[in-house]
Amino acid sequence: MSKTDYLFTSESVSEGHPDKVSDRISDAIVDIFLAADPQARVALETLCTTNRIVLAGEVRGPASITADAMVAAARDAVRDIGYEQDGFHWKNATVDCFVHSQSADIAVGVDSAGNKDEGAGDQGIMFGYAVDETPNLMPAPIYYAHNILKTLADARHSKDVDFLGPDAKSQVTLQYVNGKPVRATSVVVSTQHAEHATQEQIREYVRKHVLEALPKGWMCPEAEFYVNPTGRFVIGGPDGDTGLTGRKIIVDTYGGAAPHGGGAFSGKDPTKVDRSAAYAARYLAKNVVAAGLADKCTIQLAYAIGVSKPLSVYVNTDGTAKVSEDKLSEVLQELMNLSPRGIREHLKLNRPIYARTAAYGHFGRDPDGSGGFSWERLDLVEQLESAFGV
């Protein structure tokens, strides 16, 4: 029997966190390749440290995307985040580009040829999850942790506040009663700040955003509200700590409330199933819960490099399903072609839509007019309801 009364914690990090700076740069470069050629291949990693950015990886795309173009995209990403500090500045940082052509051995396994469909860009397992705890069917702790930081970032970008820096982290602990979240028991927010800002000034400004992010009456006790608990956070971002692409995979997904296959998303074109299949699994799980077929849903997909069909499709509703899980798995595979090509075409993933995913979660976001977050659509709900007579 699963536990129903417990505390659960999730964390988020802002767009200015060193690892997220790296994710943003990597995804910005994915976008410039896909904008130039929707069939481009990109597997790119970024390292950031004090006034230095290092790009490495392999690509296959148009000659117009030169090393200089990738360096410019990196600088633009850092400028958009807001780094103009002595130790990390979009204009003054040294950017080294060590990107090379894609391995022919990988290309042969992935490319379609003759009767062979496009294969997965790597082996691995991917998970998708949805739960009826929040309006966007995300786990509540990560949902609120993201919201706190997103509103602080929006205030910084809009110049509503002049003493916050780009780097920040949040952590939200919620109490669950009978399996449902009822209140926060602790909230932690650490945010980079200007030298002149006082701790009380920062605490009260952050408090306002936490109160707005949480449901009414959910605020934690004052003794469990921690803002910059070390007392000072002036030096932040890559000047304070090295950043690498792909180190915040739990922040990117479900805050630890669901399994994770271990593969990062950022810096990868959609032939890489680490990214595209994780999006497909979320898409299917979200539609299952939105259709009222289960209160929560976990979906696992497994792939082998160079093989088009998934090796397995696993559905688990943690005992909340109103229908057969085996039948649910069958119907989902009928509604969506889960080959790498099928996923890309269904969700229209070969577009420059990835830089926007690099912070505040890849899931639980609103689909936008240019195709971003297409995996958050609920366009399978009616077909699922019809298939099960709901």
Side-chain angles (χ1 to χ4, degrees), residues 115-175:
N115 294 324
K116 175 186 174 295
D117 195 3
E118 176 185 295
D122 202 353
Q123 71 175 45
I125 56 175
M126 299 84 209
F127 288 91
Y129 182 68
V131 62
D132 64 351
E133 293 178 1
T134 58
N136 58 15
L137 305 182
M138 285 290 286
I142 189 69
Y143 174 81
Y144 296 119
H146 283 325
N147 281 357
I148 290 167
L149 294 187
K150 183 64 169 62
T151 61
L152 287 171
D154 289 345
R156 177 174 60 84
H157 284 296
S158 68
K159 309 300 184 185
D160 179 69
V161 60
D162 64 359
F163 56 79
L164 295 185
D167 195 359
K169 301 176 75 171
S170 66
Q171 187 168 284
V172 174
T173 301
L174 297 185
Q175 180 181 8

Side-chain angles (χ1 to χ4, degrees), residues 166-189:
D167 195 359
K169 301 176 75 171
S170 66
Q171 187 168 284
V172 174
T173 301
L174 297 185
Q175 180 181 8
Y176 282 71
V177 176
N178 293 325
K180 299 294 183 182
V182 297
R183 69 182 183 97
T185 60
S186 67
V187 174
V188 184
V189 179

Side-chain angles (χ1 to χ4, degrees), residues 48-87:
C48 294
T49 187
T50 302
N51 264 337
R52 183 173 292 274
I53 298 166
V54 180
L55 311 176
E58 56 179 35
V59 298
R60 188 178 76 191
S64 60
I65 309 301
T66 62
D68 286 345
M70 288 184 264
V71 168
R75 294 193 189 281
D76 287 346
V78 174
R79 178 172 55 187
D80 192 56
I81 291 168
Y83 275 113
E84 295 185 341
Q85 302 169 4
D86 290 342

